[in-house]
Amino acid sequence: MDTPPTIDGAFARWLVARAGQALLGLRAELGFADPGGLKSAGDKVSHDLIRTELAKWRPGDAVLSEEDEGSRLAWAAEVNPEGVSRRTADRVWIVDPLDGTREFAEEGRSDWAVHVALWSRGAPSPHGLIAGAVGLPGQQRVLATDYPPAYPPMALEAAAAGSRMIRLAASRSRPPVFLTDLADDVGAHLVPMGSAGAKIAAVVTGEVDAYIHAGGQYEWDSAAPVAVATATGLHASRIDGSALKYNEADPRLPDLLVCRRDLAPRLLAALRRHSG
């Protein structure tokens, strides 16, 4: 539809779905012979589409997108093209137009995502996120805060019965160096996946039980997935157990834990033993 929903969560769902369709079309058009070119084109197509729609339908809100020039700098007075400073704004959209460019540029891979989250100054939660959506175009699905999946995930019953090991989503390319030892400690096995959005989505749906990251990320890598995960009822925190916070002056947010609530004490204790 041309006119998006007015409710923020539904709007985020609509937006990532539109960007996802554009990215699938780009993949079909360009093919996979030039991965670098496909990555660059994907970032630009999705960023431009999301920025255009936000400017049209949410002109009074600020935006922090990975593809904005200077997005990684700690700019306390950052001003977006519409003239709204994200540090003084009441509402800020935090966007990763294409999470997992490596996977996007590999034929047959579906573990890449589109992230759109909304931070609000008046939010009741410490992380400040009031809406969000994770699009998984290669899997033909969107997870969003307007209709979050029910908690607990289906995996919980099997785990409680002791029928299998804990499954930890891990980066394909840069898992934390301590993660293998931690997995041995808690009786878990690692499940390699691509983008952060795909990994947290897998926790939300119960395909894995937890995702631990400590290799360096930015706010846009986790904002939308964390919004959905916490709306679902999952645990989400820094690896030391402290609260995740968004729309900070420095957008670096280098580590996180997302997991089933019943696993959080056990995994946080293991992190204290292994991540120092």
Side-chain angles (χ1 to χ4, degrees), residues 8-271:
D8 290 321
F11 176 73
R13 180 188 291 272
W14 174 85
L15 195 51
V16 300
R18 283 178 62 92
Q21 288 302 309
L23 288 166
L24 289 173
L26 186 69
R27 257 184 153 195
E29 176 187 351
L30 297 184
F32 301 90
D34 178 11
L38 182 57
K39 291 176 187 178
S40 297
D43 278 331
K44 178 174 173 48
V45 163
S46 186
H47 172 77
D48 288 351
L49 184 154
I50 292 170
R51 268 294 199 171
T52 297
E53 298 294 355
L54 285 172
K56 180 177 181 180
W57 300 108
R58 298 292 192 274
D61 296 346
V63 182
L64 172 64
S65 170
E66 179 183 15
E67 297 306 313
D68 288 332
E69 184 178 357
S71 62
R72 287 170 172 76
L73 301 178
W75 286 352
E78 179 188 347
V79 175
N80 73 4
E82 288 73 42
V84 181
S85 168
R86 72 172 179 87
R87 293 290 291 147
T88 58
D90 289 332
R91 290 162 47 99
V92 181
W93 294 91
I94 303 174
V95 175
D96 190 342
L98 177 51
D99 183 53
T101 53
R102 175 178 175 180
E103 289 73 26
F104 173 73
E106 293 182 27
E107 187 171 7
R109 296 207 69 96
S110 62
D111 48 348
W112 50 278
V114 180
H115 299 178
V116 173
L118 176 60
W119 175 92
S120 171
R121 190 170 303 281
S125 60
H127 59 46
L129 303 170
I130 62 169
V134 178
L136 300 158
Q139 303 174 30
Q140 296 294 319
R141 61 178 172 170
V142 175
L143 304 176
T145 55
D146 59 335
Y147 291 105
Y151 184 88
M154 290 186 296
L156 181 57
E157 183 177 350
S163 60
R164 60 162 176 75
M165 299 174 70
I166 297 169
R167 298 167 299 177
L168 296 179
S171 172
R172 293 175 64 207
S173 57
R174 46 177 183 163
V177 294
F178 61 82
L179 200 55
T180 300
D181 289 340
L182 183 146
D184 290 340
D185 184 358
V186 300
H189 73 274
L190 303 182
V191 182
M193 293 185 185
S195 79
K199 289 191 278 286
I200 297 175
V203 183
V204 170
T205 59
E207 296 162 62
V208 298
D209 304 298
Y211 169 48
I212 297 170
H213 184 81
Q217 287 183 345
Y218 290 84
E219 290 187 7
W220 48 77
D221 291 306
S222 64
V226 163
V228 175
T230 53
T232 300
L234 293 165
H235 170 90
S237 71
R238 301 287 299 271
I239 62 172
D240 64 0
S242 62
L244 295 160
K245 295 182 180 180
Y246 294 88
N247 196 38
E248 297 292 289
D250 187 340
R252 289 179 295 179
L253 190 54
D255 59 76
L256 81 162
L257 164 67
V258 179
C259 65
R260 297 186 342 238
R261 287 196 302 262
D262 61 300
L263 288 177
R266 184 176 172 187
L267 291 176
L268 287 168
L271 281 162

